[in-house]
Amino acid sequence: MSKSLLIASFAALALCRSATGAALYTDDFNTNGTDSPPWGNQRGNWSAGNGVYSAANPSNNPTTYSSLTGFDLADFSFQVDVNDVSDGGIWLRSDFNGGNINGVLLVIGGQGYGSGNRGPHAGEDMYWHISTNGNLSTGVDLASFVLSPGEDVTVRVDVVGNTYRAYVNGTLETTLVDNTYSHGQVGLYDYYSGLSFDNVVLSTVPEPTSAAVFGSLFVGMVACLRPPGGRRRN
């Protein structure tokens, strides 16, 4: 294998390992009990303190909502630590619209946990709602038993085009394909007094091109190791 190809291959590998989305906003909620701007605190009396963010009045009727008001995005990645998994979630491509929320809601836990219903799935699932003028659709693309009530997890959602992918601790758990909304704000949903959020990272979505480049170079490396006729070199 040529020296130049070897150098190019290692360069591509480094690119693959380091390619991440550019951070647009981060928040660790260390604000001593005051609201952590630029969160909108539109419904639920949200506040930040002791390094976490939560609603003082958690509810799903009406649904709690606090969004990053300074960002109206189409494609993006959003990551947050969820403490005491129970009944909460993430609003995506959303707007408050005078109190009638439009957008996509990823529920984390749910299944009646916040209302005191402790059925077999309560607090253990992930699923999606489409909210239109404040009216939630039935839950779709359910991922069952992927969470344990009371645990702390890191949830990431990548939104690209009409596809929403939700990860728990780096593992893809559920995918929604829906074209109802093309852009909007990211927000948080809280329906349980113990639940809280921390360590928010809003970023652009990593470009997938680096992996493809490395794959092409890898194929080229293999080809270079094969002499004409397919015989191995001694």
Side-chain angles (χ1 to χ4, degrees):
M1 181 171 58
S2 71
K3 182 178 180 180
S4 60
L5 181 58
L6 180 63
I7 293 172
S9 299
F10 279 111
L13 178 59
L15 182 61
C16 287
R17 289 175 173 169
S18 64
T20 57
L24 301 173
Y25 175 78
T26 64
D27 200 340
D28 60 9
F29 300 110
N30 290 316
T31 56
N32 299 319
T34 61
D35 287 341
S36 183
W39 295 92
N41 185 20
Q42 290 94 335
R43 181 186 288 148
N45 191 19
W46 295 74
S47 64
N50 300 317
V52 297
Y53 191 57
S54 62
N57 302 316
S59 173
N60 78 337
N61 187 22
T63 310
T64 54
Y65 182 90
S66 183
S67 70
L68 285 170
T69 58
F71 301 91
D72 188 317
L73 302 172
D75 296 347
F76 57 88
S77 180
F78 181 78
Q79 180 172 294
V80 63
D81 292 344
V82 183
N83 305 314
D84 195 358
V85 165
S86 44
D87 204 338
I90 302 170
W91 288 101
L92 305 154
R93 289 183 175 170
S94 66
D95 67 77
F96 197 58
N97 191 29
N100 295 318
I101 305 170
N102 293 308
V104 174
L105 175 61
L106 170 68
V107 176
I108 301 166
Q111 298 290 28
Y113 196 98
S115 62
N117 176 9
R118 300 294 185 266
H121 286 260
E124 299 184 344
D125 295 350
M126 295 182 76
Y127 49 95
W128 312 82
H129 290 294
I130 312 302
S131 180
T132 306
N133 292 323
N135 298 312
L136 297 178
S137 70
T138 57
V140 295
D141 294 307
L142 172 72
S144 298
F145 303 115
V146 297
L147 300 163
S148 296
E151 71 174 330
D152 300 339
V153 297
T154 299
V155 176
R156 188 182 90 244
V157 185
D158 293 341
V159 181
V160 180
N162 64 353
T163 304
Y164 302 71
R165 295 182 175 90
Y167 301 78
V168 176
N169 297 332
T171 300
L172 177 63
E173 297 293 357
T174 176
T175 299
L176 170 72
V177 177
D178 183 86
N179 62 6
T180 304
Y181 301 108
S182 61
H183 66 93
Q185 296 176 359
V186 178
L188 297 172
Y189 160 64
D190 185 354
Y191 185 31
Y192 187 70
S193 59
L195 179 140
S196 63
F197 300 94
D198 195 7
N199 298 319
V200 159
V201 180
L202 175 66
S203 64
T204 60
V205 180
E207 293 292 337
T209 53
S210 58
V213 170
F214 180 71
S216 297
L217 285 172
F218 181 77
V219 172
M221 290 168 59
V222 173
C224 287
L225 293 174
R226 295 177 179 171
R231 298 177 60 187
R232 294 191 55 170
R233 293 173 181 165
N234 295 323

